């Protein structure tokens, strides 16, 4: 079974703090993704990575950065947290097969509150 | 850019009955893939069913089936014999047929099962 884990289920931070959200997958997947999920907006892609040290911006990258130093780990960084970054953050991974219908495997999510 | 629309924020169905969740999408591409993901309360998002746009036959997975209408750009999910465990948020997602692994999600439909 593919397992995608995230470092925290719940996190509370103060405005201006630097925040690290960690995601680890154990199935040697090349691709990893960070989404944020907000009511009425669905999931929106923040960043994704298709290899170690490679990254691409998603639809809403402003205020975020990412790091992928090892294949199994993909970190999302909020350089200076703001209240409008209060959200549920979901990590996902997938192994590209060239078929197109590759399943994305999701972590349990981190609910971040910025006060 | 592609968009995915789920026009039903909430749906409910009596246990053992059938329910259909709607999804429409907008794209100028001819090669793409469509997915339905399920997010149970406080649990991880999982894939329910997927469809290749080039296939005319509708995908089925046990009690779950889709009605894929390519010309109408519609991709509805039918759940037969609804069970309490089907209660969840359901997200429709689109993926381009190119090498990009990105998914574009709809805003979700919350399904309640009435015992």
């Amino acid at each position: 079974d593919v397992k995608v884990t995230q470092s925290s289920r719940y996190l509370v931070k103060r405005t201006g703090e630097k925040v690290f959200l960690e995601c680890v997958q154990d199935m040697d997947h090349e691709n990893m993704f960070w989404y944020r999920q907000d009511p009425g907006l669905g999931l929106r892609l923040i960043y994704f990575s298709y290899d170690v040290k490679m990254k691409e911006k998603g639809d809403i990258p402003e205020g975020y950065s990412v790091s992928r130093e090892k294949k199994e780990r993909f970190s999302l960084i909020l350089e200076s947290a703001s209240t409008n970054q209060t959200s549920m953050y979901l990590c996902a991974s997938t192994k590209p097969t060239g078929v197109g219908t590759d399943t994305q495997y999701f972590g349990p999510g981190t609910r971040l509150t910025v006060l | 850019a592609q968009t995915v629309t789920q026009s039903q924020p909430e749906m409910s169905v009596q246990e053992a009955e059938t329910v259909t969740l709607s999804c429409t999408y907008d794209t100028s591409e001819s090669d793409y893939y469509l997915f339905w993901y399920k997010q149970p309360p406080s649990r991880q998002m999982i894939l329910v069913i997927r469809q290749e746009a080039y296939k005319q036959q509708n995908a089925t997975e046990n009690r779950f089936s889709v009605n894929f209408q390519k010309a109408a750009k519609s991709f509805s999910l039918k759940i037969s014999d609804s069970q309490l465990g089907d209660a969840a948020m359901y997200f429709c997602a689109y993926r381009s047929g190119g090498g990009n692994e990105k998914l574009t999600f709809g805003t979700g439909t919350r399904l309640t099962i009435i015992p």
Side-chain angles (χ1 to χ4, degrees), chain A residues 30-62:
Chain A
E30 282 80 6
N31 297 338
M32 297 187 75
F33 307 82
W34 275 108
Y35 297 92
R36 65 176 281 175
Q37 181 181 0
D38 300 288
L41 297 177
L43 277 74
R44 293 177 292 165
L45 182 64
I46 304 171
Y47 267 98
F48 68 102
S49 168
Y50 47 89
D51 203 348
V52 175
K53 297 191 187 293
M54 306 298 283
K55 61 185 179 185
E56 277 198 31
K57 292 180 180 180
D59 300 318
I60 52 164
E62 297 78 19

Side-chain angles (χ1 to χ4, degrees), chain B residues 2 25-34 51-55 68 70-71 73 94-98:
Chain B
Q2 292 78 28
Y25 56 94
D26 187 25
T27 185
S28 58
E29 298 175 332
S30 58
D31 182 25
Y32 52 88
Y33 307 89
L34 297 163
Q51 173 85 40
E52 297 91 332
Y54 63 83
K55 286 189 176 178
F68 174 48
K70 192 171 184 178
K73 296 180 183 174
Y94 171 102
R95 182 197 155 177
S96 171

Side-chain angles (χ1 to χ4, degrees), chain B:
Chain B
Q2 292 78 28
T3 58
V4 177
T5 302
Q6 293 179 250
S7 58
Q8 306 153 315
E10 296 184 351
M11 292 276 287
S12 61
V13 63
Q14 208 80 32
E15 195 175 2
E17 297 295 308
T18 295
V19 64
T20 298
L21 309 184
S22 66
C23 172
T24 59
Y25 56 94
D26 187 25
T27 185
S28 58
E29 298 175 332
S30 58
D31 182 25
Y32 52 88
Y33 307 89
L34 297 163
F35 304 81
W36 278 98
Y37 279 85
K38 169 186 177 181
Q39 186 180 41
S42 302
R43 293 178 62 188
Q44 282 164 257
M45 182 111 62
I46 57 172
L47 177 70
V48 175
I49 199 165
R50 52 194 159 192
Q51 173 85 40
E52 297 91 332
Y54 63 83
K55 286 189 176 178
Q56 293 188 339
Q57 188 172 4
N58 289 324
T60 62
E61 288 286 344
N62 301 313
R63 296 182 297 106
F64 297 87
S65 62
V66 298
N67 183 4
F68 174 48
Q69 303 286 329
K70 192 171 184 178
K73 296 180 183 174
S74 171
F75 183 61
S76 60
L77 174 69
K78 186 171 86 170
I79 307 174
S80 304
D81 185 26
S82 298
Q83 301 175 0
L84 294 178
D86 295 333
M89 279 290 287
Y90 287 83
F91 292 96
C92 180
Y94 171 102
R95 182 197 155 177
S96 171
N100 199 320
E101 302 274 343
K102 289 170 54 175
L103 290 179
T104 300
F105 285 86
T107 52
T109 297
R110 182 175 301 281
L111 179 65
T112 300
I113 310 297
I114 302 165

